[in-house]
Amino acid sequence: MDVTNFSSQPHWRHCYRNICTDNFVERKHSFPSPFTTSFKTHSRTKKITMSSEVVFNLEYLTRLEESARTLESTPQQRSEMMFKAQREVDAYLEQLSLDHPTGWVIPPKETQGQDKLVQPGQYQVQSGPNQVQSGPDRVQSGPYQAQSGPDQAQSGPDRVQSGPDQVQSGPDQVQSGPDQVQSGPDQVQSGRGPHETEPLPIQENGVSIDEVLRDFSRIGNEMEREGHPGHMAYVPGNSTAPAAIGDFLAASFNPYSLNVASCRRAVKMQQMIVQWVGRLFGYPSACAGNLTSGGTVATMVAMTTARDHKVPRSKDYSRSVLYLSELTHDGVAKCLSTLGMREAVVRKVPVDDKYRMDVNILRKFIENDVQNNLLPFLVVATTGTTDVGSVDPVPAIRAVATQYNMWLHVDACYGGFFVLCNSAKHLFEGVETADSIAVDPHKGLYAPFGTGLVLVRNGTLLRNSNTRQHGNYMQDQLTNPEDWNPEDLTFEQSAHFRAPRVLLPLQLYGVATFRDALQEKLELAKYLYLRLKGQAHIQVVEPVLSTVLFRIPGVSDNTNRALLREITTDGRFFITTTTVKGVLYLRVIIFCYRTHRQDVDVFINKVKDAVVKMELPEVEFCHAG
């Protein structure tokens, strides 16, 4: 076999390793070198004179090989690393039932239930095949037998301990408690010094897996715990065990997943997800899309396609107009700079009394811009605004976009997967007519952060904006013009193989499980709304999805911020404020799959207690909005 032309041989992917790695030293004279036509060996120096000018040191090459082979782990080594890593994960997940979503330890005397009838120790949670159970005296999880009582939690050989005043982990005894770590709406304080929070440095020589994992696990005490049932701020991210396994498999097999010629099956897995999501929204089979690093990149890919289709000449960028509502996510306007359209005009359309884009004002803006020789090219509707959870009237916006030959993009990043729920399907009427959609599996499908998805109704337009022209080094790759490679549907290349983190949970649990989890969040939001609506001194906004806004009316913003501090002061819940149409509200989003009615009952009791402590004047009715 001619090794200088191995790519022309059959099954070269399998032959190349055997020739160029395993047998190179032993069979170094069995085939001619491409650098010379003869060999002259020097046995004492273990060098080969390859020509009169070049001397090749095989001893040096052998030393390099011995070091490089350290990267080739054995099955035993991999099993040991995975076992120890899983032990750290189990210890962290056990803390989610005990600790504050930003790191505090929950006080030991907590009450739950609609009227404080559910006492500590009665709340039992069972999860998956390992049956994580939480009762009055213990938490048990899988083979590692993590135990938790009122004063401590023990997990695995390293004895992670957690009580009301401390968290101890491994030999370095990382401690976290109310005196060490504080987190509230106005401050985040850490009692640890800067040198203690620095990650393990990159060094010339490696260290043990135990030291690496001990260092990494400290992140659990220095992060917002988005998977905590009391994390009700922003739009919390969650991740399931099958999604983590999917990432492990993707990184281990490590296919180049953006080209059919490199791995057809990986491409098919991604396309299956894209087409499934397209069908959820009523898109035709001619749609195309891609998994991205998040909603902003998904939006950017869609906006690039809109730009190329509606504003093909760069000289028109300065008079192009993008229309958003005042509640549209800030990432949309940010994309303009990345697209080279920083000089484009952005119109923020006010919302109506239901926090939806006011279509009449949108039409007036467009008419005025056309009269001033501007070029309306893109309007963005949102199905699930981040601040309120409101849904823009997509059919009416579609009619305006069609009238003025504009591209309609739908931001469904937060709310999109509620389309799975029968009770919410009507909210997505008209989305099937949008030119593009952005949605986040790392929200509604509980995938890890870094998982967005873009859909373009006319897939050809997406392909025209992103088709890759391969360099000469790839000229021998077999290609088929009929293949729709993911690398031709996004600007990304050499991207992470994201499909398994989405596909494995769907395959393992089934769509029905995710539908039920999302429907539960919708019901919990209604439950919270109805319970708060019956409380004196509270004004609450009726939720559309899983976001609930409430406030004390007729008082200053500082008083409402004081209410927030009182609710969150013991560290059981993490919520924030937002300002909508000039009014400050406390904002609760119920989105974590670990959040259930018992958690909402505890939260309601905290709101009631906080209002009582503020000693507000008596009123005969509540304020609901």
Side-chain angles (χ1 to χ4, degrees):
M1 178 183 290
D2 180 5
V3 297
T4 65
N5 190 28
F6 57 81
S7 64
S8 65
Q9 305 299 328
H11 310 297
W12 66 267
R13 290 181 178 86
H14 309 291
C15 299
Y16 176 55
R17 183 179 182 277
N18 182 58
I19 293 171
C20 294
T21 59
D22 293 346
N23 297 328
F24 176 78
V25 176
E26 292 79 9
R27 301 175 58 191
K28 56 182 175 289
H29 301 306
S30 62
F31 50 82
S33 165
F35 305 110
T36 184
T37 57
S38 64
F39 291 95
K40 182 178 180 182
T41 62
H42 301 265
S43 58
R44 292 187 63 185
T45 60
K46 295 185 179 179
K47 295 180 180 179
I48 298 178
T49 302
M50 306 181 78
S51 70
S52 58
E53 295 84 12
V54 179
V55 176
F56 197 87
N57 188 335
L58 283 180
E59 187 178 57
Y60 174 61
L61 179 60
T62 300
R63 289 200 306 270
L64 294 178
E65 178 183 327
E66 290 173 352
S67 179
R69 282 185 179 274
T70 304
L71 302 175
E72 301 175 19
S73 58
T74 66
Q76 181 179 355
Q77 289 171 328
R78 291 192 294 272
S79 296
E80 181 182 359
M81 287 190 288
M82 288 301 298
F83 174 82
K84 292 181 177 180
Q86 183 60 47
R87 190 175 61 202
E88 298 295 335
V89 171
D90 288 343
Y92 167 71
L93 293 180
E94 293 298 341
Q95 289 181 345
L96 287 184
S97 66
L98 299 171
D99 290 1
H100 176 266
T102 55
W104 280 16
V105 178
I106 293 178
K109 296 180 180 180
E110 186 55 87
T111 56
Q112 306 185 46
Q114 180 171 340
D115 295 304
K116 301 186 179 180
L117 296 178
V118 182
Q119 301 301 322
Q122 291 179 313
Y123 179 26
Q124 295 185 347
V125 180
Q126 296 184 343
S127 174
N130 290 329
Q131 295 183 331
V132 179
Q133 298 183 341
S134 176
D137 298 318
R138 63 182 178 180
V139 176
Q140 296 184 343
S141 176
Y144 308 120
Q145 296 183 335
Q147 296 187 343
S148 172
D151 297 322
Q152 64 180 359
Q154 297 182 344
S155 175
D158 290 340
R159 300 178 58 190
V160 179
Q161 298 187 340
S162 174
D165 297 321
Q166 62 183 354
V167 176
Q168 297 182 344
S169 176
D172 293 336
Q173 295 186 332
V174 180
Q175 297 187 346
S176 171
D179 296 333
Q180 282 77 36
V181 180
Q182 297 183 350
S183 174
D186 299 324
Q187 61 183 357
V188 177
Q189 298 179 349
S190 175
R192 289 189 284 270
H195 65 284
E196 293 176 311
T197 60
E198 286 297 316
L200 187 71
I202 300 172
Q203 305 172 79
E204 186 67 21
N205 297 312
V207 298
S208 71
I209 184 64
D210 300 276
E211 185 174 352
V212 170
L213 291 174
R214 278 198 304 271
D215 177 76
F216 179 86
S217 296
R218 291 171 180 162
I219 198 172
N221 293 323
E222 301 179 26
M223 63 182 283
E224 288 181 9
R225 293 171 176 171
E226 307 247 351
H228 190 284
H231 194 299
M232 299 177 177
Y234 317 128
V235 182
N238 298 262
S239 181
T240 63
I245 293 171
D247 265 0
F248 168 71
L249 292 172
S252 299
F253 282 79
N254 199 32
Y256 180 74
S257 58
L258 302 185
N259 191 297
V260 169
S262 297
C263 187
R264 179 176 293 274
R265 190 169 187 83
V267 172
K268 283 186 175 182
M269 291 171 69
Q270 295 179 94
Q271 291 176 339
M272 182 168 64
I273 295 169
V274 168
Q275 290 295 320
W276 174 71
V277 175
R279 289 193 298 272
L280 289 180
F281 291 108
Y283 263 19
S285 59
C287 72
N290 219 326
L291 290 167
T292 69
S293 63
T296 301
V297 170
T299 299
M300 186 163 61
V301 172
M303 289 177 62
T304 301
T305 309
R307 178 200 65 189
D308 294 347
H309 185 58
K310 297 295 184 181
V311 193
R313 300 181 303 180
S314 58
K315 69 177 185 179
D316 292 324
Y317 289 176
S318 61
R319 67 187 191 94
S320 300
V321 188
L322 165 65
Y323 300 88
L324 318 169
S325 93
E326 59 180 301
L327 295 180
T328 301
H329 193 278
D330 57 84
V332 175
K334 177 182 177 181
C335 291
L336 286 175
S337 295
T338 307
L339 295 177
M341 299 185 72
R342 185 187 297 269
E343 68 271 30
V345 181
V346 178
R347 301 276 187 236
K348 291 192 174 182
V349 182
V351 295
D352 60 21
D353 58 355
K354 293 185 178 180
Y355 306 106
R356 305 174 303 180
M357 180 185 287
D358 191 316
V359 179
N360 291 327
I361 297 179
L362 169 66
R363 188 183 296 275
K364 290 179 182 178
F365 279 177
I366 295 173
E367 290 173 351
N368 185 66
D369 288 336
V370 170
Q371 291 175 3
N372 286 283
N373 197 34
L374 296 180
L375 181 61
F377 87 102
L378 173 62
V379 57
V380 177
T382 303
T383 54
T385 59
T386 310
D387 288 274
V388 186
S390 54
V391 174
D392 290 332
V394 178
I397 296 172
R398 171 77 271 177
V400 174
T402 300
Q403 179 181 352
Y404 290 96
N405 192 29
M406 299 169 61
W407 185 281
L408 170 60
H409 175 71
V410 170
D411 178 354
C413 289
Y414 154 45
F417 284 109
F418 284 111
V419 74
L420 288 168
C421 304
N422 292 330
S423 67
K425 285 187 183 296
H426 67 282
L427 299 173
F428 298 89
E429 180 184 353
V431 173
E432 73 278 0
T433 68
D435 296 293
S436 58
I437 305 169
V439 63
D440 277 347
H442 68 217
K443 293 185 174 73
L445 292 184
Y446 305 124
F449 277 129
T451 318
L453 191 148
V454 60
L455 284 166
V456 175
R457 196 173 194 276
N458 184 343
T460 301
L461 298 179
L462 177 64
R463 195 181 194 188
N464 290 344
S465 289
N466 293 279
T467 298
R468 179 182 181 184
Q469 302 298 325
H470 286 146
N472 293 339
Y473 68 96
M474 297 185 70
Q475 63 189 14
D476 295 329
Q477 186 180 65
L478 298 177
T479 58
N480 185 342
E482 296 183 3
D483 289 333
W484 284 60
N485 294 312
E487 66 182 6
D488 293 329
L489 305 173
T490 178
F491 64 87
E492 288 188 275
Q493 293 177 193
S494 302
H496 177 65
F497 182 30
R498 301 182 179 107
R501 57 166 61 176
V502 179
L503 193 56
L504 263 67
L506 286 170
Q507 291 173 327
L508 182 62
Y509 295 137
V511 176
T513 300
F514 289 91
R515 180 184 295 110
D516 290 345
L518 292 169
Q519 186 67 49
E520 181 196 22
K521 306 318 162 198
L522 295 175
E523 298 301 322
L524 287 175
K526 295 176 187 176
Y527 177 71
L528 175 60
Y529 164 71
L530 292 173
R531 292 288 308 280
L532 291 181
K533 185 179 179 181
Q535 301 301 318
H537 302 292
I538 296 295
Q539 174 190 355
V540 58
V541 177
E542 184 174 3
V544 178
L545 295 175
S546 65
T547 302
V548 180
L549 305 185
F550 68 96
R551 66 191 300 270
I552 302 174
V555 299
S556 67
D557 288 350
N558 286 336
T559 301
N560 277 291
R561 290 191 179 96
L563 175 64
L564 173 71
R565 287 192 293 271
E566 190 64 41
I567 292 170
T568 59
T569 189
D570 67 357
R572 176 61 177 83
F573 294 95
F574 179 39
I575 66 172
T576 58
T577 63
T578 189
T579 301
V580 182
K581 301 190 75 167
V583 179
L584 184 137
Y585 289 93
L586 280 69
R587 175 183 176 275
V588 176
I589 182 169
I590 303 175
F591 209 57
C592 175
Y593 64 79
R594 293 184 178 91
T595 303
H596 305 294
R597 185 174 66 84
Q598 295 93 330
D599 304 292
V600 177
D601 283 334
V602 174
F603 179 79
I604 292 168
N605 287 331
K606 289 192 177 297
V607 175
K608 293 167 59 177
D609 292 344
V611 171
V612 169
K613 288 182 179 180
M614 298 183 74
E615 299 181 347
L616 298 169
E618 291 291 333
V619 294
E620 297 181 356
F621 59 89
C622 70
H623 302 263

